[in-house]
Amino acid sequence: MKRVIFYFDGFNFYNGLREKSKSENNWKDYYWIDFVKFCNNFLSEEHNLIKVKYFTAPPFKSDKRGRQTALFNANKLINGDLIEFVNGKFTDKK
């Protein structure tokens, strides 16, 4: 059995999904995505998902940060140790 780890670049995943779904008018369908379930859709029976790692940075605005935290907490509650959120930080562009 092949062991698999998925790595997400959270910024690019979020913005890419948002941009794609805007054209299809269904962005809100993905507000509460289960990252482990999403990743399992790409695996066959010969694969064993051992971890999903999601790299991101907390948004500056508190309302957005609160929604991100709620999404991450829901994923941790559902998936436990299968998912890991790794926080970095945004830097200003000059």
Side-chain angles (χ1 to χ4, degrees):
M1 184 159 298
K2 296 177 184 175
R3 297 169 12 129
V4 178
I5 299 175
F6 278 83
Y7 294 90
F8 282 88
D9 173 341
F11 182 80
N12 285 313
F13 179 77
Y14 173 84
N15 286 303
L17 186 61
R18 185 172 178 213
E19 190 62 33
K20 174 71 173 151
S21 59
K22 274 184 181 178
S23 64
E24 298 172 10
N25 296 318
N26 63 345
W27 167 236
K28 291 185 179 183
D29 291 349
Y30 300 99
Y31 273 175
W32 291 100
I33 189 168
D34 178 341
F35 294 104
V36 171
K37 187 175 180 179
F38 175 76
C39 292
N40 275 319
N41 286 313
F42 298 98
L43 303 178
S44 69
E45 292 178 7
E46 69 182 42
H47 297 107
N48 180 27
L49 181 63
I50 59 170
K51 184 71 86 172
V52 174
K53 292 188 174 194
Y54 190 95
F55 295 84
T56 190
F60 290 124
K61 294 183 178 180
S62 63
D63 59 327
K64 288 183 179 183
R65 190 170 44 254
R67 288 192 300 269
Q68 184 188 63
T69 299
L71 172 64
F72 292 173
N73 287 342
N75 269 268
K76 287 295 284 181
L77 182 66
I78 294 167
N79 300 301
D81 290 337
L82 274 178
I83 191 154
E84 178 182 349
F85 296 100
V86 181
N87 278 316
K89 64 179 184 173
F90 286 110
T91 55
D92 289 329
K93 292 182 181 178
K94 298 190 180 192

